[in-house]
Amino acid sequence: MVGHGARGRSGGRPTLEEVAARAGVGRGTVSRVINGSPRVSDATRAAVEAAVAELGYVPNTAARALAANRTDAIALVVPEPETRFFAEPYFSDMLKGVGSELSDTEMQLLLIFAGSDRERRRLAQYLAAHRVDGVLLVSVHADDPLPDMLSQLEIPAVISGPRSAAESLASVDSDNYGGARSAVEHLLSRGRRRIAHITGRLDVYGAQRRVDGYRAALRDAGHAEDEQLIEAGDFTEEGGRRAMAELLRRRPDLDAVFAGSDVTAAGARQVLREAGRSIPDDVALVGYDDSAIARHMEPPLTSVRQPIEEMGRAMIDLLLAEIADRRPAASRGLDRQQVVLATELVERASS
């Protein structure tokens, strides 16, 4: 038996490979044992620990970091074109919250855009090389392959808003259903009866929940649902213009609009004004996000405030907890952590 502190076959300090050879396992298994992973049988753990003791293997800090795939870096992945990221306040507010929560840590933040197939392929290669400790996914669509890829790679990840009610990743979201209800209830309380809704992208679960909240508020007030008053948007200004023009064509008698975002509301407002409709006298208008756009619009826009910066901070807290635990939530067998933060209706002159 080789005594503690003995040199390995290489003549220097014993290596990870030599421990693996002594224990009869792969180097990845040795890394998992050294770093406390639960994905190792008791018998294998005992064999590796015996080999470590016999060879006197002591991982130095750099080797431990490599073995543990610790990079002290987190990726904020946005599966959207860069133009949309810089055009919509949601993203900058999210980035602000994430950055402020990371400021007291040693973690570096990488901003990665993955709006095209080519960018997604490059991202997959980057993540497969384990160059980050964890990933924040922002603005994810229902059919996006990135979340499942992260699960397969066993990279800790937190998503901003679940893809569905059965989301497998940890997520942080605002109460989209309750926020939409409050917007429509407010319009009803102002005497509006023909309330249109310009949705967000309907492959985003949060947008679907806002439609559910819109419908529920009307139903509970005794109003029959009118599908002609619902038009799909995409959270953009151009989408708001296009949807508003279609709604006016179908239902020129509408007297209120609940838009899926403040940016969408800005587009809708432009079309309403071009059509000679006064806001709020002819048509009341409510947005979503309570961004700077809402405050600076003329008239100032009533909007549902979702605490986007707080959502960013909460996402970081969940992700750092997963990284510290070193195992994705799915492999721990724990309940999915789905954090939902409250929304608030901010009333202004547009309604």
Side-chain angles (χ1 to χ4, degrees), residues 83-348:
T83 50
R84 187 176 168 212
F85 180 89
F86 292 109
E88 295 185 32
Y90 174 89
F91 294 109
S92 57
D93 288 347
M94 178 69 70
L95 187 58
K96 194 182 303 180
V98 167
S100 67
E101 196 69 8
L102 276 182
S103 61
D104 292 333
T105 75
E106 297 299 317
M107 288 284 188
Q108 298 294 313
L109 181 66
L110 306 176
L111 178 59
I112 300 176
F113 297 101
S116 69
D117 289 340
R118 180 170 173 270
E119 288 172 333
R120 285 165 196 256
R121 284 194 297 272
R122 285 171 53 196
L123 174 63
Q125 294 170 351
Y126 186 82
L127 295 177
H130 289 274
R131 293 184 179 175
V132 295
D133 295 326
V135 172
L136 301 173
L137 266 177
V138 180
S139 185
V140 178
H141 306 263
D143 59 352
D144 197 311
L146 287 175
D148 291 335
M149 181 184 75
L150 292 169
S151 295
Q152 290 165 6
L153 292 171
E154 296 198 333
I155 295 174
V158 178
I159 196 168
S160 73
R163 291 165 291 170
S164 71
E167 179 58 66
S168 58
L169 293 179
S171 73
V172 176
D173 204 0
S174 68
D175 182 6
N176 291 288
Y177 178 87
R181 277 196 70 120
S182 68
V184 177
E185 287 168 354
H186 164 73
L187 290 167
L188 289 167
S189 74
R190 295 298 172 91
R192 309 295 169 149
R193 293 296 177 264
R194 295 174 297 282
I195 303 170
H197 178 37
I198 302 175
T199 75
R201 286 190 58 155
L202 291 176
D203 59 350
V204 173
Y205 184 60
Q208 297 170 24
R209 293 298 290 153
R210 290 176 199 176
V211 175
D212 293 341
Y214 162 85
R215 292 180 187 277
L218 290 174
R219 192 167 53 244
D220 291 350
H223 293 273
E225 292 183 26
D226 185 346
E227 295 302 318
Q228 287 197 322
L229 285 169
I230 301 176
E231 182 64 21
D234 57 5
F235 294 120
T236 69
E237 186 173 359
E238 176 55 36
R241 283 194 289 267
R242 191 169 54 245
M244 191 70 252
E246 177 61 21
L247 285 166
L248 283 177
R249 185 190 68 77
R250 283 204 308 255
R251 290 298 304 268
D253 60 337
L254 62 82
D255 61 7
V257 177
F258 165 47
S261 73
D262 292 345
V263 177
T264 295
R269 168 188 169 276
Q270 183 179 344
V271 171
L272 286 168
R273 287 203 156 178
E274 289 169 354
R277 307 298 175 92
S278 171
I279 300 171
D281 295 341
D282 298 327
V283 179
L285 184 61
V286 175
Y288 205 105
D289 288 335
D290 190 35
S291 62
I293 289 172
R295 297 188 293 277
H296 297 149
M297 200 179 290
E298 181 56 43
L301 181 69
T302 295
S303 184
V304 178
R305 179 183 179 271
Q306 55 175 338
I308 301 170
E309 284 189 45
E310 187 180 340
M311 289 165 62
R313 291 194 293 271
M315 287 179 72
I316 283 293
D317 289 343
L318 278 184
L319 186 60
L320 291 179
E322 285 205 7
I323 291 170
D325 191 80
R326 300 213 40 76
R327 290 169 290 154
S331 55
R332 292 200 302 271
L334 300 180
D335 291 335
R336 298 183 306 276
Q337 294 199 65
Q338 309 290 353
V339 176
V340 179
L341 302 178
T343 57
E344 174 190 2
L345 184 72
V346 180
E347 297 181 24
R348 296 191 179 92

